Amino acid sequence: FPVTIRIIPIIIGDAKQTLNIAKKLEEKGFLVGAIRYPTVEKNKARLRITFSSEHKKSQIEKLAKDLVGLLKN
């Protein structure tokens, strides 16, 4: 079967905060892109999460839990 890929952007706004969250997620074992100006408009920096059909439900749940924790801070 072919692998299905979905890209989910999560707009953070602030470029420094976006980079910080991406770095902390990487420390937890997730590779999440930090997209910022000039690729996107100023103050519209975002995380770019790429999911594939190869990811396990447990991996997605862990990413969601870690991301929510970082966004609350």
Side-chain angles (χ1 to χ4, degrees), residues 15 18 21 23-24 27 32-33 39 48 51 54 67 71:
T18 302
I21 291 171
K23 179 182 174 189
K24 288 181 179 182
E27 290 169 359
V32 174
T39 305
R48 182 179 179 174
F51 293 105
E54 297 294 310
L67 182 56
L71 291 172

Side-chain angles (χ1 to χ4, degrees), residues 27-41:
E27 290 169 359
K28 295 175 179 284
F30 298 105
L31 182 58
V32 174
I35 312 300
R36 52 214 187 278
Y37 180 82
T39 305
V40 295
E41 294 176 42

Side-chain angles (χ1 to χ4, degrees):
F1 294 100
V3 175
T4 302
I5 296 176
R6 296 283 183 253
I7 297 171
I8 309 297
I10 299 177
I11 298 174
I12 304 297
D14 181 75
K16 288 182 183 179
Q17 183 182 12
T18 302
L19 284 168
N20 187 44
I21 291 171
K23 179 182 174 189
K24 288 181 179 182
L25 287 171
E26 185 175 4
E27 290 169 359
K28 295 175 179 284
F30 298 105
L31 182 58
V32 174
I35 312 300
R36 52 214 187 278
Y37 180 82
T39 305
V40 295
E41 294 176 42
K42 288 184 180 181
N43 301 314
K44 294 207 176 173
R46 62 199 65 197
L47 299 172
R48 182 179 179 174
I49 301 174
T50 305
F51 293 105
S52 84
S53 54
E54 297 294 310
H55 285 105
K56 296 177 182 169
K57 182 179 178 180
S58 61
Q59 293 172 310
I60 296 169
E61 289 172 343
K62 174 86 167 87
L63 172 61
K65 179 181 176 187
D66 290 345
L67 182 56
V68 167
L70 290 169
L71 291 172
K72 285 184 177 180
N73 294 329

